Amino acid sequence: MNLFTVAKVAVENTAYSFDMLFDYSVPDFLFSSVKPGVRVFVPFGNSSKKRVGVVFSVRKEKELPKKLKSICGVIDSEPLLTEEMLHTANFVHDQTFCTYYDACKQFLPLGYSMKISVSFAADPNFSNEILDDTERKIYDFLLSKNRFLKDETIIKECGLKRDTDILDRMFMGGMLLRNTESKRRVNDAVLKMVRLRETDDDTALKKLTKKQNDVLKVIEEFQTLSIKELCYFAGVSAAVVSALESKGIIETYDHEVYRTLPNEAKEKSVEKIILSDEQNHAFEGLSKLYQSEKAEGALLFGVTGSGKTQVYLKLIDNAMKTGRGIIVMIPEISLTPQILSLFYGRYGDKIAVFHSALSLGERLDEWKRVKRGEARIAVGTRSAVFAPFDDIGLIIIDEEQEHTYKSEMTPRYHAREVAAYRVGKHKGLLLLSSATPSFDSYTKAQTGVYSLFTLKKRYGNAVLPKVQTIDTTYNSDMATENISSRLAYALQENFKNGKQSILLLNRRGYNTFVSCSECGTVASCPNCSISLTYHIRNGRMMCHYCGYTVPFTKKCKNCGNESLSFKGSGTQKLEEQIAEIIPSARVLRMDADTTTSRYSYEDKFKRFGNNEYDILIGTQMVAKGLDFPNVTLVGVLCVDQMLYNDDYKSGERAFDLITQVVGRSGRGETLGTAFVQTDFTENEIINLAATQDYETFYNIELPIRRQMIYPPFCDICTVSFSGESESLTNKSAMKFLNDLKELHKNDFADQKIIVLGPVAPKIAKIGGKFRVRIIIKCKNTKRMREMISILLKDFLKNNKEITAFADMNPEDVM
């Protein structure tokens, strides 16, 4: 009996409302090439255009459904995704309400994606004269060009709609010829090499010039080398090499190379790690977990400067001996330079780097080095969790509490959850590290889900900084708008002593908003429900959400008076204020406005580490993970807004930020000092953060979470709606809510849920679209996700003007 082969394929660019793994037949000539994990070309929908898909599985059938389409071609010679990666993609799909293909894409660098180009030409042999006006216009246009043109060119020149399928219909009708080409978005980097050709023709060798003979001598000595090297050693131009190639004496070929990343630490020697008794206890416990034959999870919890990095570096040293893959994640690109310097110095070219500041070509090459087994450690931000290791032994997430580990774009995964799933599949160890762990992770450590290892002392002779709170309630005793007299004096003394300081102000720009002194109107973005921020460098007011910008004017749009004035202040203004207090101080500002260029983090932090600057000011990117031994003073200038934000995590975030930034001080031999300016000096969170007493803060906050039913005592799923019409957006959200009530009552009554909303988030309008959100307190079960998925797919099928998405455990609920 003949059996037919059928593949389940995840197809690109499918809408979530009808996404699934689609069945395709496998033609006999592709039978040996179609395997789980390879990419294929497939026809999709009514159009004959080809799309890229990823094969999830292959099976045998006795007969094929009549209308089953066939795979057209195979892109990869070997699977790009392993069985574990396909399982992980399926996990991401189920957890995040994304399409199967979007989940698969996380494992592939953007440069590896395929670009399909379709072009058409008029078929000169077409003789049917029955064409409508549009078909005639297209046919005559292409006939006059007498060549293949890309579909987008034809659409533009003939004034067609972008989503038209008329070109495909004309092809199917025999009027047009079609050509489909595909290529990778980023090609491999290659070096043009030279070598001798085997030839029996002595005649050509006798007619060589002196320079050509010099070239041959160099090639005979080195056997093979690049054209650039050949020209250098032989002292000739590339034209001499080309002449030899044209005579058939030598041949050139492409040799694949990697795009190298800037790194000055590869030559550093490996320093021996000497652990304290406390660190060694943690290391030995973690080593036993690593050697376990089952998947393990652990939390390394220690005060800032306690040497958590040294513990997991020694753990990595041991893990390297086993030959398994290692992933180390950090929360911010800003931390990458220091971490990479440390890792390159210790492990050299065994490191691969994954973060968004790399070019597409660099990302592609780093991915290939891991895939080929040339790199054993992947270091990077959130995306590093998808590093293509065949066998993962250890995943480390540093500063695991950071919100940046949660993706805000589709698929909305949390790197911690993906990491836990991957080490589970590989029976590896997941190690979370933090001085202020997330409530979720610390609760799991307290209940035995994770093993807990605690470091209570700073490493070596360093001790925790002395923290002082400064009352700014009535703006009394202030040297400038942002800096109190006490802090100003401390900055001056620290500067005189040759020490460095860090100041945190978590607002960029010059003035945070502009308002009218006559009518009180605040200058706001026309596209977003947010005030405009004034930037002194370009004299413009800017929206930090949609990018809208307008020149500053004193005239109020509401009342017409020239009475607009600046309010509040950001990092740009703080930079000026520092110059007033210490005119000769060298000030470095770090915020989203000063770190837009590639490698700007590396350059700025390197210069600060080399003592080229005296004071570093910035937003929260300067608060965490940085280790500068000469920093002995830290100032926290405005934390009150975070303390009283309308989110259940506001206290946790404020405690984390204060603890982390205060911890940047006194990490060397000199005792550090930190100042926290606040209107609420008696606030419990500030005082506990000053002493880094996380356990007490956790024990105070946890009962409140339990009473209010917030994580870790539940999960939260938000369903967000957006549209250009405020009323239609609200109506759509209400319709979804009613459908939720009905479906829950009839089919999912076993799921306990608490529903809040619909309600507008803090910023109700962004980019010209109004936003509404439904908040569901629940348990993140398969049944719960199934219910949300049914509702979401049904909504998206029947609503074209309103977009919607679901997010399980978002970082921002409001």
Side-chain angles (χ1 to χ4, degrees):
M1 179 188 296
N2 286 333
L3 294 177
F4 300 93
T5 307
V6 177
K8 281 196 173 294
V9 180
V11 182
E12 68 174 342
N13 299 329
T14 56
Y16 179 72
S17 58
F18 61 85
D19 180 63
M20 64 179 72
L21 293 176
F22 297 93
D23 281 344
Y24 284 89
S25 68
V26 180
D28 291 341
F29 73 95
L30 293 177
F31 171 74
S32 60
S33 302
V34 176
K35 307 171 186 176
V38 301
R39 293 174 301 165
V40 292
F41 286 124
V42 294
F44 191 81
N46 295 325
S47 170
S48 56
K49 287 185 178 180
K50 306 298 184 292
R51 296 193 190 184
V52 176
V54 175
V55 177
F56 266 67
S57 63
V58 179
R59 69 182 190 276
K60 295 291 186 180
E61 293 283 0
K62 292 181 180 179
E63 58 181 79
L64 293 176
K66 291 182 180 179
K67 294 184 178 180
L68 197 62
K69 296 182 179 181
S70 296
I71 291 174
C72 303
V74 179
I75 299 172
D76 310 303
S77 58
E78 293 294 333
L80 295 183
L81 274 66
T82 64
E83 182 181 6
E84 175 269 317
M85 294 175 195
L86 290 172
H87 280 297
T88 302
N90 194 64
F91 170 80
V92 171
H93 164 269
D94 290 345
Q95 291 283 331
T96 66
F97 310 101
C98 73
T99 67
Y100 281 100
Y101 192 84
D102 281 341
C104 290
K105 275 202 312 185
Q106 307 310 305
F107 282 101
L108 302 175
L110 187 58
Y112 224 73
S113 60
M114 303 299 295
K115 184 177 182 181
I116 301 176
S117 176
V118 181
S119 56
F120 293 88
D123 186 344
N125 298 319
F126 178 72
S127 58
N128 191 339
E129 295 297 322
I130 305 175
L131 299 176
D132 63 30
D133 292 343
T134 304
E135 291 172 339
R136 173 59 63 188
K137 180 179 181 181
I138 295 170
Y139 184 83
D140 289 346
F141 169 71
L142 288 173
L143 193 64
S144 68
K145 296 297 181 182
N146 195 29
R147 68 178 188 274
F148 280 93
L149 293 177
K150 289 186 177 181
D151 52 359
E152 57 261 33
T153 301
I154 301 170
I155 288 170
K156 181 180 178 181
E157 293 295 328
C158 294
L160 306 174
K161 292 182 179 180
R162 294 186 64 182
D163 59 350
T164 183
D165 64 349
I166 191 172
L167 298 176
D168 287 312
R169 286 193 279 109
M170 291 179 70
F171 165 71
M172 298 298 291
M175 309 169 211
L176 303 181
L177 303 174
R178 189 180 67 195
N179 183 41
T180 302
E181 296 179 342
S182 63
K183 62 179 181 179
R184 270 205 343 233
R185 292 185 182 275
V186 177
N187 292 321
D188 296 324
V190 294
L191 196 62
K192 191 68 79 173
M193 304 293 289
V194 181
R195 61 190 171 200
L196 289 172
R197 286 190 64 184
E198 293 184 8
T199 178
D200 297 326
D201 186 5
D202 293 335
T203 306
L205 293 173
K206 293 177 182 178
K207 297 180 180 179
L208 299 182
T209 65
K210 181 180 181 304
K211 287 186 177 181
Q212 291 171 344
N213 275 309
D214 290 341
V215 169
L216 285 185
K217 289 178 183 178
V218 173
I219 298 176
E220 288 169 354
E221 179 180 354
F222 290 98
Q223 298 299 313
T224 180
L225 67 170
S226 70
I227 291 180
K228 186 176 181 180
E229 291 171 322
L230 178 59
C231 293
Y232 174 77
F233 286 118
V236 299
S237 67
V240 179
V241 179
S242 297
L244 282 171
E245 185 178 19
S246 65
K247 292 181 178 182
I249 298 172
I250 65 172
E251 62 181 359
T252 60
Y253 63 97
D254 290 336
H255 172 67
E256 185 181 349
V257 295
Y258 294 128
R259 301 163 182 87
T260 56
L261 302 181
N263 134 55
E264 300 177 358
K266 285 187 178 180
E267 305 303 322
K268 288 186 177 180
S269 59
V270 177
E271 294 183 10
K272 184 178 179 181
I273 296 176
I274 301 175
L275 301 180
S276 66
D277 291 342
E278 194 177 43
Q279 289 174 310
N280 196 57
H281 173 75
F283 165 71
E284 289 179 351
L286 291 168
S287 296
K288 289 179 181 178
L289 291 178
Y290 181 78
Q291 294 162 11
S292 172
E293 295 182 357
K294 63 178 184 177
E296 300 283 0
L299 173 63
L300 181 59
F301 167 48
V303 298
T304 57
S306 58
K308 297 183 290 295
T309 304
Q310 291 167 308
V311 173
Y312 68 65
L313 279 176
K314 193 161 185 180
L315 185 64
I316 292 172
D317 289 347
N318 282 7
M320 286 285 285
K321 298 173 186 176
T322 66
R324 307 182 73 189
I326 300 165
I327 298 174
V328 180
M329 282 184 277
I330 53 178
E332 300 273 1
I333 296 175
S334 60
L335 302 181
T336 305
Q338 283 201 329
I339 290 291
L340 285 185
S341 178
L342 180 65
F343 272 77
Y344 273 132
R346 195 163 193 83
Y347 306 109
D349 59 6
K350 295 298 180 183
I351 301 295
V353 183
F354 291 79
H355 63 73
S356 59
L358 302 181
S359 69
L360 293 184
E362 289 168 342
R363 289 188 225 182
L364 174 61
D365 287 354
E366 295 297 276
W367 181 89
K368 287 190 295 187
R369 292 179 60 237
V370 172
K371 185 69 175 172
R372 294 169 179 174
E374 297 171 20
R376 297 273 305 285
I377 305 174
V379 180
T381 49
R382 181 177 64 229
S383 61
V385 75
F386 295 103
F389 288 111
D390 291 337
D391 181 21
I392 298 174
L394 176 63
I395 298 182
I396 298 170
I397 305 183
D398 201 10
E399 305 293 355
E400 66 86 25
Q401 80 286 354
E402 282 300 307
H403 68 93
T404 51
Y405 287 122
K406 179 71 161 69
S407 172
E408 295 181 351
M409 303 295 289
T410 299
R412 293 174 171 82
Y413 67 90
H414 198 297
R416 186 174 56 229
E417 306 306 321
V418 177
Y421 186 86
R422 294 198 75 186
V423 295
K425 285 292 182 181
H426 290 279
K427 295 182 172 60
L429 170 63
L430 171 63
L431 174 59
L432 310 177
S433 174
S434 179
T436 54
S438 64
F439 268 51
D440 179 72
S441 296
Y442 195 70
T443 300
K444 287 180 178 178
Q446 290 291 310
T447 56
V449 177
Y450 295 151
S451 298
L452 177 62
F453 300 93
T454 304
L455 304 177
K456 295 184 177 180
K457 301 176 183 177
R458 278 198 159 184
Y459 180 73
N461 297 323
V463 295
L464 291 173
K466 181 182 178 182
V467 181
Q468 302 179 37
T469 56
I470 300 174
D471 190 347
T472 56
T473 307
Y474 301 107
N475 291 325
S476 59
D477 197 28
M478 298 291 288
T480 70
E481 181 181 345
N482 287 300
I483 304 172
S484 65
S485 297
R486 283 170 60 191
L487 178 55
Y489 177 76
L491 287 167
Q492 292 166 341
E493 289 300 303
N494 211 46
F495 173 70
K496 290 178 184 177
N497 294 329
K499 299 297 182 181
Q500 292 174 296
S501 305
I502 295 178
L503 296 178
L504 170 72
L505 178 60
N506 205 21
R507 296 191 301 243
R508 63 188 175 106
Y510 190 81
N511 291 102
T512 51
F513 67 99
V514 178
S515 65
C516 177
S517 58
E518 293 292 332
C519 68
T521 300
V522 175
S524 301
C525 174
N527 307 314
C528 310
S529 53
I530 195 74
S531 61
L532 296 172
T533 300
Y534 177 65
H535 288 246
I536 195 171
R537 294 290 175 88
N538 58 9
R540 301 181 73 87
M541 295 185 291
M542 302 176 67
C543 174
H544 290 166
Y545 282 84
C546 72
Y548 172 83
T549 177
V550 63
F552 172 73
T553 174
K554 288 189 174 183
K555 188 174 183 178
C556 175
K557 286 188 176 181
N558 183 52
C559 66
N561 292 315
E562 294 201 358
S563 51
L564 286 182
S565 59
F566 301 119
K567 305 290 182 181
S569 57
T571 49
Q572 286 186 6
K573 191 170 186 180
L574 177 61
E575 190 175 10
E576 284 189 1
Q577 293 168 352
I578 293 295
E580 295 173 13
I581 297 170
I582 315 174
S584 56
R586 299 164 298 174
V587 180
L588 172 64
R589 176 165 60 90
M590 294 282 287
D591 55 33
D593 298 317
T594 64
T595 55
T596 54
S597 62
R598 291 186 66 202
Y599 309 121
S600 55
Y601 294 102
E602 287 89 332
D603 177 61
K604 293 178 186 299
F605 281 134
K606 176 188 172 185
R607 295 175 69 184
F608 187 72
N610 290 338
N611 292 306
E612 295 180 32
Y613 292 97
D614 306 300
I615 300 174
L616 170 63
I617 65 174
T619 53
Q620 62 183 5
M621 68 174 64
V622 306
K624 303 173 184 182
L626 303 174
D627 189 359
F628 297 113
N630 198 39
V631 172
T632 56
L633 175 63
V634 163
V636 185
L637 304 187
C638 188
V639 77
D640 294 346
Q641 184 178 2
M642 183 173 289
L643 277 171
Y644 298 102
N645 203 348
D646 56 348
D647 191 289
Y648 77 95
K649 281 189 175 182
S650 59
E652 184 180 351
R653 289 179 181 140
F655 181 91
D656 170 49
L657 186 63
I658 297 170
T659 301
Q660 292 286 350
V661 71
V662 164
R664 298 313 106 201
S665 178
R667 299 172 75 90
E669 297 294 323
T670 307
L671 177 65
T673 306
F675 291 88
V676 180
Q677 296 185 167
T678 175
D679 290 352
F680 307 96
T681 55
E682 300 302 316
N683 185 281
E684 204 164 28
I685 293 175
I686 292 177
N687 293 322
L688 291 173
T691 58
Q692 299 209 17
D693 190 352
Y694 177 86
E695 291 96 330
T696 300
F697 167 70
Y698 174 84
N699 290 328
I700 291 172
E701 182 79 5
L702 197 66
I704 301 173
R705 298 274 186 98
R706 181 186 288 111
Q707 185 178 6
M708 300 299 293
I709 313 178
Y710 277 117
F713 300 102
C714 74
D715 294 290
I716 291 180
C717 180
T718 60
V719 185
S720 301
F721 308 84
S722 66
E724 295 179 358
S725 167
E726 185 176 13
S727 61
L728 184 57
T729 305
N730 288 324
K731 288 178 182 177
S732 299
M734 282 302 302
K735 173 70 166 53
F736 187 96
L737 176 62
N738 292 331
D739 291 344
L740 169 61
K741 290 177 180 178
E742 191 69 21
L743 184 62
H744 178 263
K745 177 183 175 181
N746 295 333
D747 300 323
F748 292 89
D750 58 312
Q751 299 298 301
K752 294 182 179 180
I753 61 174
I754 299 173
V755 183
L756 308 174
V759 61
K762 285 179 293 188
I763 302 175
K765 184 183 177 185
I766 290 182
K769 292 192 174 183
F770 294 93
R771 308 193 302 158
V772 180
R773 189 169 292 173
I774 292 174
I775 302 167
I776 308 169
K777 295 182 181 180
C778 59
K779 284 294 182 183
N780 185 11
T781 63
K782 184 177 181 180
R783 288 270 295 161
M784 180 65 200
R785 294 193 302 273
E786 181 186 353
M787 180 176 70
I788 296 300
S789 180
I790 290 171
L791 290 164
L792 190 59
K793 287 186 175 183
D794 183 66
F795 178 89
L796 293 171
K797 283 178 184 177
N798 299 302
N799 287 271
K800 302 302 180 185
E801 296 182 52
I802 305 298
T803 59
F805 66 86
D807 192 359
M808 188 65 74
N809 292 319
E811 282 299 311
D812 291 309
V813 174
M814 292 302 298

